[in-house]
Each structure stands twice: as structure tokens, then as C-alpha cells.
Amino acid sequence: MHRLSSSLRTRSAAETLKYAMEIAPRLGITRVTDTTWLDRIGIPVYASIRPAAATGSLCVNAGKGLHDIEAKIGAYMESIEFAYAEFNDSKIPIIRSSPAEILASYNGRIDFVDLCPLMDRTILAEELMMAVCARDLLDTNEVLLPAELIFIPFHSELNRKVFGQSSNGLCSGNTTDEAIVHGLCELMERDVQAFNFIYDRSALVDLDCLSPEVTSLIRKIKNAGLIISIRHTESSFGFAYFQAFLMEAHPESPISIAIGSGLHLIKEVALVRAICEAAQSRLSHIHGGRDDLIERAKYFERLGRPIELQAIYQLRNDAQSPTKRISYSTINDSSKDIRSIADALGLIIRRLQAYGLKSICFLPLTPNNSPIQVVRVVVPSLESFDPSLKRIGPRLGKYVSDTK
């Protein structure tokens, strides 16, 4: 196993990049470029360009990391993921099914609402729903998943959205297991975020006992004249979760605040991911190539600048609130338990099972012999609510009721 600053790999960074670059041209990825220089921080961020991406997918993807090669790998891998997730070019068979049939494939282990449909959707047990066959890490039998949870974008004759479009759980790696580790960390990260959107339980982190690598990241941010705030939220699974906020000194600057998140078994990896993602968020706005930024701009255009500024001031205040505090040195770290990708995957599975989750589904989107594996991971009962995609399952629903 190779531990990089922001991920675990079965191959070295150089080998991983080599295979990603070999695959990229076949998928229409025409260029991966260094965008770091567009901002003044200096944390590596790269952008990948896929001009022929399907409508509803992304033409521009990004990657970040402590080192240039990691950011370059990230840009390639994310673009490869989105290419394989497109429904129109997929070789994966689609089945005409129904919610009742999908549910029956789990033999009573889950309820259909555990898949977290959009709020206020009425779902009939026997209505037509397109599905795919997937595998379950906790059961030897195949299970069915709604195709809408797999493909980006997904178009069908039904033209009805039950779950909405999200890339949560879309992941890649040198092996299927490596990809699943990345995907599960992302799904747990989004689960923590979903609960924080309802009621923010985070604590301001006192950054004691940092490694030289993390110290160098923070120094770059401060030398650029930015304010950094790190917050931690205790997750249901015992893994470290951080949010990083990078703020301009003046609240009304064009990119007043940028946010990044990270959850990982190794707390330093989680922290590096959060900080680098915040830097990537800034550069995505500066670069202007991300298709998904347009909706945010349109949203605040409709509401007006005063409302946008009110939201910015509130977010900056929340990011720096000292009401709750925690020292970095006291936060859980599982690095001593991990010597291989198999160790990492096994630990995640045990934690999810201990929390009471009954199914961990995955579907490889790439051929078995591909040197880079793209996988879609779906874990029933993990929440993925955010303000732009109001999906909600029983756990979050109960949380909302209990916190009223």
C-alpha cells in the first residue's frame, strides 16, 4: 500500500498517473492542466477537460493535493469517473423493475426509503423503475439498485426523478477495493454533512501537533493573506471529519469564503483533503470552467446581492465560532490499524456494521481488466441531503424531529 498525502493507493503515484494517462484519450479527455498559478495560495490544483461530455455531466473536473502529481492524478481520475458514469455509453444492462422488486432483492435488510429519495416524492410499490444488478459486500446475493443512483446523467422513458442527480459514491482506484475505500469515505463524509446542514454540531479545531506537511499548507494560506478556520464534527463511525474554510480578509471580496471537507480513517489525510478541497473550490471559481457553478450564481442572482452578503457574513461567523472547541491531537486516528487497502476496507465495513447498517452495495462501471477501476458505491441508510438536493432518509428524518 502507498499512503499519499490525501489518499491510499495500491500503486505508487507515478504508476497510478501512468495508467490514468493511458486511459484518458479513449474517454475524450483532451487535456489536464495546472491551474494552481491562477490563485495566489500555491496549493496544487489541476483541471481536466472533456469537451464531449454528455449534457448533464461535467466537461471540466478538478483534482487537488499536497503535491502536483497528486492533484494531477485527482483531475484525471475524476474525469475518468464521470466518463464511465454516463448512461448513454454504458454497457451495463438496465432492467425494468419496480420499488417492490428492488426492495425484495435485499431479503428484508432495508426499507426502500433507506435509499433516501427526494423529499415529498410519492413512490408506488409497483410503479415502473429502471434498475441495475449490483453486489453487496455484506451478502453473497445480487441486489437491485435504481439506475438513477448509478448513472450521471440518467435518462429514461419515465422522465421522472425520484432521487435526483449526484456523484456521491462515484469513485475510482487502481483496484476495485481501493475505489470502494474512496467511495465509502465520501459517502460517510456526506452523511456527516447532511446532519450538519440541519443542526451544526461542529467544533473549532485548535491546530496543535501538526506534521510539517500540514504546517506547510497552512503557511501557504496565511502567506497569501487568507484566514483559515478548521472545524471538526464527530462522525457516527469514529472516523475523523473536518471542514476547512478559507476566507479573504474583506468579507465582500469576490471569493469571500471557500469550503472543503474530508473524512478518512487517517485523520491527517482527512485534514489535508479538507484544506486542499477548499483551495480547489477557490480555483474552480477563478477558473470558471465548472458547469455546476452556474446554478449557484443564478440562485443568488434571483435573490439579490444583499441576501448573498447576508449568507456570506453568517457563514464566516459560523466558521470561526469558538463556542465549541477541540484540540487536533485528541481527535480519533485509525492509522495504526491500516497496513493495506484490505485493512482499510475491513475497518470501514466493521464500523458501518457496528452502527447497524445492513447493506453496502457496489457496481463496477469498468471492464474487469481495466488498470483503473471505476465503481459506484451505494450504502442504504447513509444520508446525502444538501440544500440543492433535498434527499432524506429515516435517520435524518428522525434527527429533524428530535431536534425541533
Side-chain angles (χ1 to χ4, degrees):
M1 182 185 78
H2 297 264
R3 176 181 162 180
L4 308 186
S5 69
S6 58
S7 63
L8 302 177
R9 301 278 181 199
T10 52
R11 295 190 184 110
S12 68
E15 287 180 294
T16 302
L17 180 59
K18 170 179 172 287
Y19 285 114
M21 291 177 69
E22 287 177 2
I23 290 173
R26 303 201 300 268
L27 300 174
I29 300 166
T30 59
R31 188 160 56 100
V32 171
T33 185
D34 183 0
T35 59
T36 310
W37 62 274
L38 292 172
D39 200 0
R40 63 185 190 272
I41 301 176
I43 293 174
V45 176
Y46 279 65
S48 57
I49 315 299
R50 190 167 59 96
T55 302
S57 184
L58 293 178
C59 295
V60 179
N61 296 91
K64 73 281 185 185
L66 186 61
H67 306 290
D68 280 86
I69 191 169
E70 293 174 283
K72 196 170 186 179
I73 289 169
Y76 270 110
M77 295 295 248
E78 186 177 284
S79 196
I80 289 168
E81 290 165 14
F82 272 75
Y84 273 108
E86 290 187 0
F87 172 63
N88 292 342
D89 295 327
S90 176
K91 304 295 189 294
I92 295 169
I94 305 295
I95 301 165
R96 296 171 70 87
S97 186
S98 68
E101 190 175 356
I102 291 170
L103 186 59
S105 71
Y106 293 85
N107 297 316
R109 285 173 295 148
I110 72 165
D111 294 320
F112 192 80
V113 290
D114 290 334
L115 295 171
C116 303
L118 290 165
M119 290 173 59
D120 303 324
R121 286 294 190 272
T122 299
I123 303 167
L124 303 177
E126 300 302 332
E127 70 177 78
L128 178 61
M129 183 170 284
M130 312 310 280
V132 296
C133 288
R135 290 179 253 170
D136 192 334
L137 289 173
L138 305 184
D139 191 87
T140 55
N141 297 317
E142 279 192 335
V143 293
L144 295 177
L145 284 171
E148 190 182 348
L149 290 176
I150 302 300
F151 300 105
I152 306 173
F154 178 66
H155 305 293
S156 80
E157 61 198 77
L158 306 178
N159 199 29
R160 167 169 145 79
K161 299 298 182 186
V162 174
F163 302 97
Q165 182 170 300
S166 168
S167 62
N168 291 354
L170 179 62
C171 50
S172 59
N174 291 290
T175 66
T176 299
D177 283 358
E178 180 188 310
I180 292 173
V181 168
H182 299 322
L184 288 174
C185 286
E186 180 178 71
L187 288 172
M188 290 186 287
E189 173 190 314
R190 303 300 165 81
D191 183 85
V192 177
Q193 286 178 10
F195 285 87
N196 271 354
F197 278 125
I198 305 303
Y199 176 70
D200 188 353
R201 302 169 291 122
S202 67
L204 188 66
V205 180
D206 295 319
L207 297 170
D208 61 340
C209 301
L210 296 178
S211 70
E213 289 77 16
V214 175
T215 300
S216 73
L217 283 178
I218 294 172
R219 186 182 302 116
K220 285 181 177 180
I221 292 161
K222 291 183 176 179
N223 287 346
L226 298 175
I227 303 162
I228 180 170
S229 179
I230 305 292
R231 302 193 71 84
H232 168 267
T233 302
E234 186 175 348
S235 76
S236 301
F237 321 104
F239 298 131
Y241 167 88
F242 297 102
Q243 270 198 312
F245 300 83
L246 305 188
M247 292 165 281
E248 293 281 0
H250 195 287
E252 297 185 22
S253 297
I255 307 176
S256 176
I257 185 166
I259 308 170
S261 303
L263 179 148
H264 205 271
L265 299 75
I266 301 171
K267 71 176 178 181
E268 184 172 299
V269 170
L271 181 58
V272 168
R273 289 187 64 81
I275 295 171
C276 291
E277 187 176 86
Q280 176 185 295
S281 177
R282 277 180 59 88
L283 266 164
S284 292
H285 281 83
I286 294 167
H287 178 261
R290 288 279 298 225
D291 313 35
D292 49 347
L293 295 176
I294 297 170
E295 290 306 315
R296 180 191 181 280
K298 288 181 177 177
Y299 175 77
F300 280 112
E301 274 182 13
R302 291 193 299 270
L303 294 178
R305 181 62 173 166
I307 299 297
E308 183 178 17
L309 286 175
Q310 183 181 339
I312 288 170
Y313 274 93
Q314 183 63 57
L315 184 56
R316 288 171 64 102
N317 287 338
D318 292 344
Q320 299 173 88
S321 171
T323 305
K324 296 180 183 177
R325 303 187 79 106
I326 188 170
S327 295
Y328 177 75
S329 58
T330 66
I331 294 169
N332 287 341
D333 180 44
S334 302
S335 56
K336 65 181 185 302
D337 301 318
I338 303 165
R339 295 178 179 83
S340 66
I341 293 295
D343 287 345
L345 181 56
L347 179 57
I348 294 172
I349 290 171
R350 291 194 298 276
R351 294 283 179 88
L352 291 173
Q353 284 183 298
Y355 190 70
L357 302 189
K358 306 295 184 184
S359 181
I360 302 172
C361 308
F362 71 100
L363 177 64
L365 303 181
T366 37
N368 290 335
N369 61 352
S370 174
I372 299 293
Q373 289 291 308
V374 177
V375 181
R376 192 67 188 248
V377 183
V378 177
V379 181
S381 292
L382 287 188
E383 300 285 351
S384 59
F385 175 92
D386 72 52
S388 64
L389 189 67
K390 295 179 174 64
R391 292 175 58 191
I392 188 166
R395 289 173 56 237
L396 191 59
K398 183 178 185 303
Y399 185 73
V400 171
S401 298
D402 291 347
T403 53
K404 279 182 179 178

